[in-house]
């Protein structure tokens, strides 16, 4: 059968895999030859303050992984550094390309970038094909009966589930034999990280499709008890797949096929719900792009947060005197990772105890998180700050001490990241400042000297934040 296009480009962005990839599948079906490309986007990289940004290492490893897979076919990934809106039209001219394929991304920057690239290519009579790939349902596919978007999770998830069928998780198997051979673009030198101002770093979740599949496989034994273990940071109770979902090293369809691999049970159902949270936040960002900068709830747009910058810096460094918060922040700073329960505790503490604008915390997480995703991060922060799409009103305030006792009862996680507190037993580990001086000396950590005193008093701050919200 004659193919539609002689030469095409498949542009990978946050879908860094070759298996079960919708755009790549269609590109290789429709074209005689497909150039697989990735652009290190200058617009994004220029905004990263840290040359040791772990996400760049992750991306790099993913590209290496793809290269390894396709090199046995004589092909390779073609990598570039620049601004996609300029670079891609140029590439299309240089290579005599007839069509471009990519998977859709719903962040405001990406939507605008893709719109510009599309307009410029259509002006040259180049076909542009975009596909749904990173979600099961896009923003416009799960709507209320009156056509408006959901703003509460539970009804959204019900509609999501009622729409779902096995057809939504069909596997897209690309024909990799059609990928352009290495020698088809000999003067395209692969991007070297040092040349673009970044360094390779050690990362706790290595990049690549193989690693993602391995992680999913490792989760096989844990998914059935996910509902029991997922809230305890010292347990390995969650999948650890968020970075792979973020960069598309695993297909979301594959993850859902994995859930339905065995009969549904509580663990599988709750894990599916988390994946639906991810789609819910994607949908919120798509329908209400202003949330990127402002509160979702209009009444809180102008809240004047009275918190102090000194406290913000203590929070960032993990020196607030609240062990669970400090352990969480030190873990983030060191690894680029934080457990979901801790994200909720740390975010709630910044906003409702330190009375600091959620946007500062959101930005800090955006800089540090390996799995940083605008929609989920913004959604999570606004949920914790009570400014977002939460059905609960502002007076849901986490008590950091109770959270700590409940979810890290023996202080195992705390001791890992705040080793100076290792001598405290489970009675005092959550509130070492309340221990007697005898106990402090016995524990070899005097609060106020070896570990900070609490920067604020939770009970007082609770009253202040309630007043702030009431106006
Ligand atoms: C303040 C705050 C900030 C957050 N920032 C991010 C972020 O930048 N990127 C990110 O991927 N997640 C974010 N989350 C959601 C959640 O914390 C992580 O997805 C989760 O910790 C990842 O661990 P896991 O892969 O082991 O998750 P699992 O528990 O195994 O869950 C499976 C998948 O479901 C999705 N998921 C789980 N919980 C949530 C949630 N609450 N909201 C949206 N999706 C979810 C993730 O894709 C995750 O990989 C944030 C949550 C909060 C409270």
């Amino acid at each position: 059968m004659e193919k539609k296009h002689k030469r095409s480009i498949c542009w990978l962005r946050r879908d860094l895999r070759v298996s079960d990839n919708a755009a790549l599948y269609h590109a290789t079906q429709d074209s005689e030859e497909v150039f697989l490309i990735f652009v290190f986007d200058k617009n994004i990289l220029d905004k990263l303050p840290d040359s040791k940004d772990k996400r760049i290492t992750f991306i790099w490893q993913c590209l290496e992984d793809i290269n390894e897979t396709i090199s046995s076919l004589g092909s390779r990934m073609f990598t570039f550094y620049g601004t996609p809106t300029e670079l891609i039209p140029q590439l299309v001219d240089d290579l005599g390309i007839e069509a471009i394929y990519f998977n859709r991304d719903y962040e405001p920057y990406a939507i605008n970038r893709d719109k510009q690239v599309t307009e410029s290519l259509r002006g040259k009579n180049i076909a542009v094909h975009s596909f749904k790939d990173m979600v099961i349902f896009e923003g416009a596919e799960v709507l209320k009966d009156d056509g408006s978007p959901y703003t509460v999770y539970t009804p959204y998830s019900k509609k999501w589930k009622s729409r779902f069928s096995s057809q939504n998780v069909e596997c897209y198997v690309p024909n990799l034999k059609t990928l352009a051979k290495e020698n088809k673009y000999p003067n395209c030198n692969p991007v070297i990280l040092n040349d673009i101002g970044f360094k390779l770093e050690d990362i706790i979740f290595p990049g690549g499709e193989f690693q993602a599949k391995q992680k999913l496989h490792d989760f096989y034994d844990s998914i059935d008890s996910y509902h029991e273990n997922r809230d305890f940071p010292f347990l390995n109770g969650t999948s650890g797949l968020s970075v792979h979902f973020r960069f598309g090293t695993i297909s979301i369809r594959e993850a859902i096929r994995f859930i339905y691999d065995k009969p549904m049970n509580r663990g599988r159902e709750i894990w599916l719900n988390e994946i639906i949270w991810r789609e819910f936040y994607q949908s919120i960002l798509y329908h209400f792009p202003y949330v990127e900068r402002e509160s979702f709830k209009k009444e809180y747009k102008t809240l004047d947060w009275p918190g102090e910058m000194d406290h913000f810096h203590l929070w960032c460094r993990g020196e607030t005197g609240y062990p669970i918060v400090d352990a969480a922040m030190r873990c983030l700073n060191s690894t680029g990772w934080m457990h979901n329960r801790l994200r909720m505790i740390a975010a709630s503490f910044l906003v409702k105890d330190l009375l600091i604008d959620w946007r500062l915390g959101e930005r800090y997480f955006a800089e540090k998180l390996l799995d940083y995703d605008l929609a989920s991060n913004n959604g999570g922060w606004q949920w914790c700050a009570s400014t977002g799409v939460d059905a609960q009103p502002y007076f849901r305030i986490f008590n950091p001490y109770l959270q700590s006792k409940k979810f890290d009862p023996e202080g195992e996680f705390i001791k890992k990241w705040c080793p100076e507190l290792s001598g405290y037993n489970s009675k005092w580990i959550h509130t070492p400042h309340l221990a007697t001086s005898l106990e402090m000396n016995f524990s070899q950590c005097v609060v106020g000297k070896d570990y900070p005193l609490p920067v604020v008093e939770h009970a007082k701050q609770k009253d202040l934040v309630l007043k702030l919200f009431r106006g």
Side-chain angles (χ1 to χ4, degrees), residues 226 238-242 271 274 337 340 343 371-373 377:
Y226 177 73
T238 68
S239 69
L241 276 166
S242 51
W271 199 61
E274 295 307 318
W337 164 256
N340 180 58
R343 295 186 203 204
D371 66 14
Y372 167 62
D373 172 76
N377 194 46

Side-chain angles (χ1 to χ4, degrees), residues 86-340:
E86 290 163 11
L87 213 144
I88 290 190
Q90 183 63 51
L91 204 54
V92 161
D93 288 345
D94 290 353
L95 292 171
I97 296 294
E98 291 175 11
I100 180 160
Y101 292 74
F102 56 81
N103 289 317
R104 287 192 279 275
D105 179 340
Y106 312 100
E107 293 189 359
Y109 166 75
I111 290 176
N112 189 36
R113 173 198 63 199
D114 293 349
K115 194 166 156 252
Q116 285 184 45
V117 170
T118 301
E119 276 166 11
S120 132
L121 295 184
R122 292 214 169 121
K124 291 171 182 280
N125 250 338
I126 307 296
V128 179
H129 305 285
S130 73
F131 300 87
K132 172 173 74 172
D133 185 78
M134 64 167 276
V135 288
I136 301 298
F137 295 117
E138 294 180 321
E141 288 182 297
V142 179
L143 296 171
K144 292 185 198 166
D145 292 342
D146 66 5
S148 63
Y150 284 101
T151 56
V152 177
Y153 169 77
T154 305
Y156 171 89
S157 71
K158 278 193 187 135
K159 184 60 114 6
W160 192 104
K161 286 178 185 171
S162 75
R163 290 215 49 187
F164 179 77
S165 78
S166 57
Q167 283 175 348
N168 298 117
V169 289
E170 259 176 51
C171 185
Y172 292 97
V173 184
N175 175 6
L176 299 181
K177 287 188 189 138
T178 63
L179 291 182
K181 302 292 176 240
E182 201 172 349
N183 60 8
K184 284 300 179 76
Y185 196 3
N187 48 4
C188 171
N189 295 320
V191 171
I192 310 284
L193 279 198
N194 274 339
D195 294 351
I196 61 170
F198 290 93
K199 294 193 181 82
L200 279 179
E201 288 297 306
D202 283 338
I203 47 178
I204 56 160
F205 296 127
E209 204 171 335
F210 172 77
Q211 296 285 346
K213 284 190 195 296
Q214 186 63 43
K215 267 238 160 283
L216 188 65
H217 181 263
D218 292 348
F219 190 51
Y220 195 81
D221 291 332
S222 317
I223 187 170
D224 297 323
S225 48
Y226 177 73
H227 58 302
E228 288 162 353
N229 297 334
R230 69 184 179 127
D231 271 318
F232 299 95
F234 58 90
L235 292 179
N236 217 358
T238 68
S239 69
L241 276 166
S242 51
V243 62
H244 294 290
F245 289 136
R246 166 61 185 86
F247 291 103
T249 29
I250 196 134
S251 128
I252 197 71
R253 294 177 295 277
E254 183 167 352
I256 299 207
R257 292 195 296 269
F258 168 85
I259 296 177
Y260 285 99
D261 197 36
K262 277 196 188 167
M264 195 47 105
N265 59 24
R266 188 90 183 116
R268 286 165 195 265
E269 186 79 46
I270 301 283
W271 199 61
L272 175 64
N273 289 345
E274 295 307 318
I275 287 177
I276 300 175
W277 268 106
R278 173 179 173 271
E279 303 219 346
F280 176 57
Y281 284 142
Q282 286 290 339
S283 162
I284 293 294
L285 181 62
Y286 175 78
H287 290 290
F288 308 96
Y290 70 82
V291 296
E292 191 181 357
R293 298 186 200 292
E294 294 169 3
S295 296
F296 171 80
K297 288 185 180 143
K298 302 235 158 75
E299 63 271 34
Y300 300 138
K301 266 188 191 171
T302 51
L303 273 190
D304 195 4
W305 299 93
E308 295 170 26
M309 276 318 275
D310 284 357
H311 288 179
F312 174 64
H313 295 305
L314 290 176
W315 177 83
C316 293
R317 293 202 299 270
E319 295 174 6
T320 66
Y322 280 75
I324 193 76
V325 175
D326 293 343
M329 294 306 292
R330 293 181 198 183
C331 172
L332 173 68
N333 292 335
S334 163
T335 65
W337 164 256
M338 198 192 280
H339 185 280
N340 180 58

Side-chain angles (χ1 to χ4, degrees), residues 29-40:
Q29 284 294 304
D30 295 352
S31 324
E32 286 174 21
E33 186 176 46
V34 178
F35 286 79
L36 192 57
I37 72 159
F38 180 82
V39 181
F40 285 92

Side-chain angles (χ1 to χ4, degrees), residues 324-458:
I324 193 76
V325 175
D326 293 343
M329 294 306 292
R330 293 181 198 183
C331 172
L332 173 68
N333 292 335
S334 163
T335 65
W337 164 256
M338 198 192 280
H339 185 280
N340 180 58
R341 173 57 50 182
L342 300 173
R343 295 186 203 204
M344 292 196 283
I345 296 172
S348 174
F349 184 79
L350 184 80
V351 177
K352 297 200 173 157
D353 284 87
L354 299 184
L355 310 181
I356 287 172
D357 191 328
W358 59 270
R359 281 168 287 208
L360 279 177
E362 189 213 18
R363 279 294 90 211
Y364 191 74
F365 271 30
E367 253 179 50
K368 298 283 172 189
L369 279 174
L370 198 51
D371 66 14
Y372 167 62
D373 172 76
L374 172 57
S376 293
N377 194 46
N378 182 282
W381 270 96
Q382 295 225 38
W383 186 92
C384 294
S386 300
T387 60
V389 286
D390 185 6
Q392 296 275 331
Y394 61 85
F395 39 82
R396 183 185 27 70
I397 296 173
F398 276 26
N399 178 322
Y401 298 127
L402 296 184
Q403 290 284 319
S404 186
K405 281 184 187 152
K406 189 164 175 195
F407 297 112
D408 190 23
E410 298 300 317
E412 287 169 72
F413 182 82
I414 292 174
K415 290 180 185 181
K416 180 169 180 194
W417 292 100
C418 301
E420 65 272 39
L421 295 172
S422 301
Y424 281 90
N425 62 24
S426 57
K427 182 172 177 205
W428 298 115
I429 188 77
H430 313 284
T431 50
H433 63 289
L434 298 182
T436 60
S437 51
L438 192 68
E439 275 150 355
M440 287 192 193
N441 285 325
F442 181 72
S443 306
Q444 295 185 339
C445 173
V446 175
V447 176
K449 181 168 146 273
D450 306 315
Y451 180 73
L453 279 160
V455 59
V456 289
E457 204 182 303
H458 173 69

